[in-house]
Amino acid sequence: MFIATLIAADTLSQADISRAEDALSDAGVVPLGERWIEAQKAADLRFEDDLDAARAALTGTFDGIDAICQVERDRARKLLVADMDSTMITVECLDELADYAGFKDEVSAITERAMRGELDFAEALRERVSLLKDMESEIVTRCHEERVGLSPGSVALVGTMKAHGARCLLVSGGFRLFADRVAADIGFDRAVANILDIEDGRLTGTVSDPIVDADAKLAALREEREAMKLAEKDVLAIGDGANDLSIIREAGLGVAYRGKPKLREAADACLDHADLSALLYAQGYPRSEWVRG
């Protein structure tokens, strides 16, 4: 049995549910009833087949409403693997660091192309980091305090999944100096990220090898999954850019959060409207079962 979970950024109405049922029917998918997870916020629509047709019919169909289609029995995941920049936090840390150095526009343009998959990630990272040469390393602490905000729903997502026995891994093509702080703030069990090189209290403009790219993110996912003796279906992965493609494809449920086009095409679901707490509704957890930070 399959389910399509409808999650509203604002309010979900009975009319919205009826429109979704009509969209499924028009796609040749027979809806088998509905169940509210949270009144006026999230509801499940059950159907027997066809999962791909249901996803095509519901993804991006309604303003202000996201739809996540999956196998019903697999919905509660045991491992969360999440990107950091523009996913678990609201900014791209490297872009914000570059702003202090006066290079934000240049660096942001490179970041956007890299996240769209138009540039080699490692080369783009080294090019951007080179512009930070000779900045005082303390600028990282200032940047974190002044610029880094947690994405809405991130603390509830991680806290609730951990309370239900899941492990949570933060994987970032950004930097450990940020990722370790973010992981602690949100409650992740582990963070994997790049190391900015520092000498005499200043950034050298280089990043240590090996680079945490898409392959490294995938390796971290597999390491955690195998250590926990889990199957692919037990993994929930979320990200926003092309360097998250590998973890999205490997997961039982791969989600694009405000995702770039290449990631959206590969993802099982897209979160375009609701915040990260939508992934709790997708796992069947009503608000009364959430752990709040």
Side-chain angles (χ1 to χ4, degrees):
M1 188 69 65
F2 301 103
I3 49 169
T5 306
L6 306 179
I7 308 108
D10 187 12
T11 302
L12 184 69
S13 69
Q14 190 63 49
D16 294 324
I17 295 174
S18 296
R19 285 195 300 145
E21 290 176 325
D22 290 343
L24 289 175
S25 297
D26 291 344
V29 179
V30 180
L32 299 175
E34 66 194 58
R35 179 184 73 90
W36 285 100
I37 301 173
E38 192 79 46
Q40 299 184 317
K41 189 67 178 182
D44 285 337
L45 301 181
R46 303 180 79 209
F47 59 97
E48 287 187 336
D49 58 17
D50 152 357
L51 185 58
D52 290 339
R55 284 172 172 162
L58 296 179
T59 299
T61 301
F62 308 115
D63 290 340
I65 299 172
D66 295 311
I68 298 178
C69 301
Q70 59 187 317
V71 178
E72 185 172 20
R73 68 175 178 271
D74 297 337
R75 71 187 310 177
R77 313 290 168 164
K78 295 301 182 184
L79 174 61
L80 171 66
V81 180
D83 174 50
M84 182 176 71
D85 295 71
S86 297
T87 304
M88 286 291 139
I89 61 174
T90 59
V91 297
E92 293 284 335
C93 291
L94 183 47
D95 294 2
E96 298 307 315
L97 278 178
D99 192 28
Y100 289 100
F103 295 110
K104 184 172 184 178
D105 289 346
E106 181 178 349
V107 168
S108 294
I110 299 172
T111 299
E112 178 67 17
R113 293 187 63 198
M115 291 303 99
R116 288 181 173 273
E118 298 170 3
L119 299 174
D120 176 80
F121 179 81
E123 291 181 6
L125 179 66
R126 290 190 178 98
E127 180 180 356
R128 287 174 290 164
V129 170
S130 69
L131 298 174
L132 306 180
K133 185 177 181 180
D134 292 330
M135 290 181 68
E136 292 184 359
S137 60
E138 285 300 312
I139 200 68
V140 174
T141 299
R142 179 182 169 192
C143 183
H144 182 267
E145 293 173 349
E146 295 180 351
R147 306 288 182 92
V148 175
L150 305 183
S151 294
S154 59
V155 175
L157 173 62
V158 170
T160 303
M161 288 190 67
K162 289 179 65 175
H164 286 84
R167 183 168 169 83
C168 299
L169 172 66
L170 186 67
V171 289
S172 175
F175 308 116
R176 287 288 302 272
L177 290 170
F178 289 102
D180 287 346
R181 291 180 170 98
V182 170
D185 290 343
I186 297 178
F188 280 90
D189 295 293
R190 178 188 172 200
V192 176
N194 290 296
I195 298 174
L196 272 175
D197 293 329
I198 298 172
E199 290 183 4
D200 299 325
R202 293 186 177 274
L203 304 183
T204 65
T206 59
V207 59
S208 295
D209 288 324
I211 298 294
V212 177
D213 57 8
D215 290 339
K217 288 185 174 187
L218 178 59
L221 182 156
R222 288 175 172 170
E223 178 185 353
E224 293 286 343
R225 187 188 67 206
E226 291 166 8
M228 296 177 69
K229 296 180 171 57
L230 301 177
E232 287 186 9
K233 66 180 179 62
D234 298 316
V235 181
L236 166 61
I238 184 166
D240 71 301
N243 68 326
D244 299 312
L245 276 167
S246 59
I247 62 171
I248 292 298
R249 289 169 173 156
E250 187 82 1
L253 181 66
V255 180
Y257 179 74
R258 282 48 166 176
K260 301 297 189 291
K262 284 188 177 181
L263 194 70
R264 293 176 63 85
E265 291 173 6
D268 299 310
C270 298
L271 275 186
D272 297 324
H273 308 291
D275 66 33
L276 292 171
S277 65
L279 298 179
L280 294 174
Y281 290 131
Q283 294 179 81
Y285 301 129
R287 188 179 293 269
S288 60
E289 296 181 15
W290 294 3
V291 174
R292 297 172 179 82

